[in-house]
Amino acid sequence: MRLFVFSLEGDALNWFKIFPKGYFTSLEDMINAFKDRYGDPNSLPCAPKIVQQNESNLIKSSAVDERFQDNASYHNFPSTCTIADHSGKVGTNCKNSVDNEKEDQRQIIQELMLLVKNMEINQTNYVNDVRTLCTHLEKGNREMEIMQNKHTKEIEAMKTNHDTEISFMQSKLSGLQENMTTMKANHDREINSMQNKLLAMDEEMTIMTFDHNNQLTTMQANHKEEINSM
């Protein structure tokens, strides 16, 4: 039905546009309406030439479109032909023209069927390509999810190891600080002890110096007395 519409142009296309959307429910209804409007080439000795075509102004995209446009609009029917003689027999030229048109229409239908078949094949290939692409995307998503889970586990393991190392270093640092505190306290005690010893030694030296001076003074006095007595 859509291909039939593509074959229309000019007055025939304007005629088709007057029908509301969904008016025709089958290709047969469309063909019968077209025959009622423009005549049936199978029932008349000669079909009317509906559209005068200027080939220099017509752009055709392909050989199939060209044949379909020409034959569907009955462009190839002769505008004049010998219709009948006095006996009522149809002229030979017109009959041959109708037979040629039937053969052309048959070939066009075969070409259209081949075109539709190719469209179905292309659609099938497209569906297969889409399915293949979806399969690749799903596989990629699964691989990405696996990599993400692996990366997450590696990050968690690294974080755990890092936290463990930090805790160990903090504990070791705390132990060093305690040792430093203990060593400082011992050092302070030793210094105080040595200072006390030095003070005691100074006192002893002072006492010894005082005693020595007293003894020297006494010895000098005694020596003077001995000298005087002599």
Side-chain angles (χ1 to χ4, degrees), residues 71-94:
N71 288 282
S73 300
Y74 308 110
H75 292 164
N76 292 335
F77 280 110
S79 58
T80 58
C81 62
T82 303
I83 296 178
D85 57 14
H86 295 288
S87 64
K89 295 182 180 181
V90 177
T92 303
N93 293 335
C94 185

Side-chain angles (χ1 to χ4, degrees), residues 17 42 48 52 92 95-96 111 122 136 143 158 166 169 173 183 185 194 199 209:
K17 289 181 178 179
N42 295 325
Q52 294 296 331
T92 303
K95 182 177 180 181
N96 291 335
E111 292 173 355
N122 291 333
H136 289 319
E143 292 178 352
M158 291 175 65
I166 289 176
M169 291 178 67
L173 182 61
M183 290 175 65
M194 290 178 67
L199 291 173
T209 301

Side-chain angles (χ1 to χ4, degrees), residues 165-182:
E165 290 178 357
I166 289 176
S167 298
F168 175 75
M169 291 178 67
Q170 287 177 345
S171 299
K172 189 175 181 179
L173 182 61
S174 298
L176 289 172
Q177 288 177 346
E178 291 178 357
N179 292 333
M180 286 292 294
T181 303
T182 303

Side-chain angles (χ1 to χ4, degrees), residues 206-220:
T206 302
I207 293 170
M208 289 176 64
T209 301
F210 181 76
D211 291 338
H212 179 70
N213 290 331
N214 289 334
Q215 290 177 2
L216 183 60
T217 301
T218 303
M219 288 176 65
Q220 287 178 351

Side-chain angles (χ1 to χ4, degrees), residues 109-121:
I109 291 173
Q110 291 179 351
E111 292 173 355
L112 289 175
M113 291 177 65
L114 179 61
L115 179 62
V116 172
K117 184 176 180 180
N118 291 333
M119 291 173 64
E120 292 177 352
I121 293 173

Side-chain angles (χ1 to χ4, degrees), residues 138-151:
E138 290 178 357
K139 182 179 179 181
N141 289 332
R142 287 195 298 269
E143 292 178 352
M144 184 67 70
E145 185 177 357
I146 293 172
M147 291 178 63
Q148 186 175 3
N149 292 334
K150 183 179 179 180
H151 184 63

